[in-house]
Amino acid sequence: MDFNNANDSVMRRMQALANRITHIKSQDFYFYNQAVEEILPGNKVRVNGRVMGMYASYSYLGLVGHPRINEAAKKAVDKFGTGTNGVRTLAGTLTIHNELEETIANFKHAEAAITYTSGYATNLTVISTLMGRGDYVFSDKINHASIVDGCLMSGAEFRRFRHNDMAHLEGLLKNAPADVSKLVVADSVFSMDGDIIDFPKIVELCKKYNAWLMIDEAHSVGVLGKTGTGIEEHFNMYDSIDIKMGTLSKTIPSVGGYVAGKKELIEFLRHGSRAYIFSAALPPAQAAAANESFKVILDEPWRIENLNRNTKQFIGGLKGMGFDTLLTETAVVPVLCGEDDKAFALTRECQMNDVFVLPVVSPAVQEGMARLRATITAAHETEEIDRAMNVIGEAGKKLGMVK
Ligand SMILES: *Cc1c(COP(=O)(O)O)cnc(C)c1O
């Protein structure tokens, strides 16, 4: 590379990562950033001219391309155009933003809601607005990167508890000074493992130690609860979360993030959080699409039944073949491989046989815990899931992972 500062630490980091990428590519193991040419029914896609079963998307209820949602987006474009050209606080707020926030508040059994232009930005800005120097945040070890970054940005004392280990969390809470503000934050469904937070216990601990509770529902909206409203419905424990965070980019086929909660909290964030005040509002089409999506979820509960049926089939089948799927009970299904190269090799075998899965390796997961991170949706068909499992099973045998 031809830069001026050939020996500084930035250059060394760039070189190290470039070497790792080159190594992966040289073994024909590189499957990231592939362009999807077309999205087909039954959660299939066309990639490099080939039709593949898609097992890496977050469209858990198969809502992407839904006619009602597309129509809502098109109408919003006709009415408002394609951009907002401003931040919400100034000229950027449209009626569709207020409608969306009301829809979210109702869906999440909350008094009010606020939206941001990404889930990542939501965690960053919300945690760093609420928490500051001298406060304490407690975060699960495998929480999403955006939560970690929000905690670091806040400047608060940052304590990480072992994954889903409530005894460890309690010990950390006990050790913190009694008179400081405390925030406990966790994914509801963990984005790499698919398991569910010990919700009854974490709620109890927050009450006992006077801590705020923030739960990130990126992978539980549309997935948990009989009507798909998330973790509070799943455990029948409404009004347990102070800061109900979620994204508009997974089950909801749009983009953006939100927080729902008490009026005073939302009012504070609306006037205090920098991603709201200093970054442009959601585009009209995306706001309208998100708004319609929440309604479709409630109107079409059969999608959740299909997802649950497919999830059972997929996890049960993989386990039956001898794969380690960790503790998942949801639509995020890890297939543990161990070393990075094993995960790359398994991916390659699957992709060659038209099963679109992707590997997750360190630092996204702990070293030695590399995996396929497969996802299952309501849109997959039973025979197609059988075919995909067959492909994964044969690949696993070939690589000596299962018998
Ligand atoms: C995807 C994800 C986010 C970020 O959401 P985006 O809308 O994609 O920015 C935040 N938290 C978790 C747990 C996620 O999985």
Side-chain angles (χ1 to χ4, degrees):
M1 278 180 272
D2 207 9
F3 290 98
N4 286 335
N5 351 17
N7 270 320
D8 75 4
S9 61
V10 178
M11 283 303 301
R12 280 199 298 275
R13 283 199 297 272
M14 282 169 65
Q15 194 60 55
L17 195 52
N19 290 346
R20 192 174 175 196
I21 296 164
T22 306
H23 172 74
I24 296 169
K25 285 185 173 167
S26 70
Q27 291 171 290
D28 204 10
F29 277 170
Y30 189 90
F31 291 98
Y32 299 117
N33 299 305
Q34 290 186 90
V36 169
E37 288 150 13
E38 194 182 356
I39 297 177
L40 303 159
N43 208 14
K44 296 195 180 117
V45 290
R46 198 155 48 79
V47 177
N48 295 321
R50 278 168 37 207
V51 174
M52 306 175 86
M54 170 53 92
Y55 292 86
S57 94
Y58 305 123
S59 186
Y60 296 126
L61 294 180
L63 294 180
V64 70
H66 192 291
R68 261 174 72 185
I69 299 169
N70 283 6
E71 189 56 33
K74 285 175 194 163
K75 270 200 182 135
V77 171
D78 289 342
K79 191 165 174 188
F80 293 114
T82 53
T84 46
N85 297 114
V87 300
R88 289 289 301 275
T89 316
L90 303 177
T93 295
L94 305 169
T95 48
I96 186 65
H97 293 121
N98 295 336
E99 278 169 44
L100 170 60
E101 286 166 353
E102 201 180 316
T103 298
I104 293 172
N106 289 334
F107 190 89
K108 294 306 302 171
H109 293 263
E111 289 177 3
I114 182 170
T115 51
Y116 299 90
T117 42
S118 88
Y120 182 87
T122 304
N123 277 332
L124 222 60
T125 204
V126 169
I127 297 171
S128 65
T129 301
L130 292 174
M131 292 280 113
R133 216 171 295 162
D135 301 333
Y136 277 63
V137 280
F138 304 85
S139 169
D140 188 286
K141 270 240 164 89
I142 67 166
N143 273 345
H144 191 263
S146 55
I147 295 176
V148 176
D149 291 356
C151 293
L152 292 173
M153 189 172 155
S154 74
E157 292 294 321
F158 184 25
R159 300 286 181 270
R160 305 208 303 162
F161 53 96
R162 285 190 291 273
H163 176 47
N164 221 352
D165 184 339
M166 292 299 121
H168 190 209
L169 171 61
E170 178 155 25
L172 294 175
L173 282 164
K174 226 182 243 164
N175 277 340
D179 57 350
V180 297
S181 293
K182 302 182 188 75
L183 171 72
V184 173
V185 55
D187 290 10
S188 51
V189 167
F190 287 88
S191 61
M192 296 295 164
D193 285 33
D195 55 340
I196 303 171
I197 187 78
D198 183 347
F199 191 61
K201 191 68 191 178
I202 208 168
V203 170
E204 182 195 315
L205 288 179
C206 286
K207 289 215 172 88
K208 183 169 171 191
Y209 292 92
N210 206 14
W212 293 74
L213 177 60
M214 174 168 179
I215 297 289
D216 177 334
E217 297 225 57
H219 299 277
S220 56
V221 162
V223 175
L224 292 186
K226 201 160 185 296
T227 66
T229 65
I231 194 159
E232 288 184 319
E233 183 183 11
H234 181 77
F235 285 98
N236 193 22
M237 291 172 61
Y238 291 97
D239 303 317
S240 298
I241 305 171
D242 301 300
I243 303 149
K244 306 177 186 203
M245 183 273 168
T247 89
L248 304 175
S249 66
K250 290 186 169 121
T251 294
I252 307 295
S254 183
V255 71
Y258 67 82
V259 160
K262 293 249 186 290
K263 294 199 294 297
E264 295 80 1
L265 169 74
I266 302 306
E267 191 71 357
F268 176 61
L269 292 173
R270 216 179 276 291
H271 297 95
S273 57
R274 291 159 82 90
Y276 187 89
I277 303 168
F278 295 103
S279 186
L282 274 177
Q286 299 318 122
N291 185 48
E292 194 66 19
S293 302
F294 285 102
K295 297 178 179 176
V296 170
I297 293 175
L298 297 178
D299 288 347
E300 300 180 357
W302 55 266
R303 290 178 182 274
I304 293 149
E305 287 164 29
N306 284 4
L307 175 62
N308 288 335
R309 188 193 64 219
N310 291 349
T311 301
K312 234 183 230 146
Q313 182 193 353
F314 195 54
I315 297 174
L318 290 169
K319 272 189 175 161
M321 289 188 278
F323 286 106
D324 183 356
T325 56
L326 301 177
L327 298 173
T328 184
E329 335 170 29
T330 68
V332 174
V333 184
V335 179
L336 197 66
C337 298
E339 296 310 313
D340 290 2
D341 278 0
K342 199 112 222 184
F344 291 133
L346 187 63
T347 300
R348 184 161 182 277
E349 288 296 324
C350 291
Q351 294 241 357
M352 304 274 272
N353 291 287
D354 300 330
V355 173
F356 193 104
V357 284
L358 284 171
V360 178
V361 299
S362 72
V365 292
Q366 215 182 310
E367 226 161 285
M369 294 285 276
R371 65 197 64 182
L372 294 191
R373 177 168 162 276
T375 52
I376 191 82
T377 75
H380 288 109
E381 284 155 8
T382 308
E383 301 76 52
E384 162 55 27
I385 299 169
D386 278 335
R387 183 192 73 86
M389 290 195 299
N390 228 353
V391 167
I392 299 171
E394 287 304 314
K397 277 185 211 160
K398 196 168 158 185
L399 296 169
M401 295 173 61
V402 294
K403 291 201 192 82

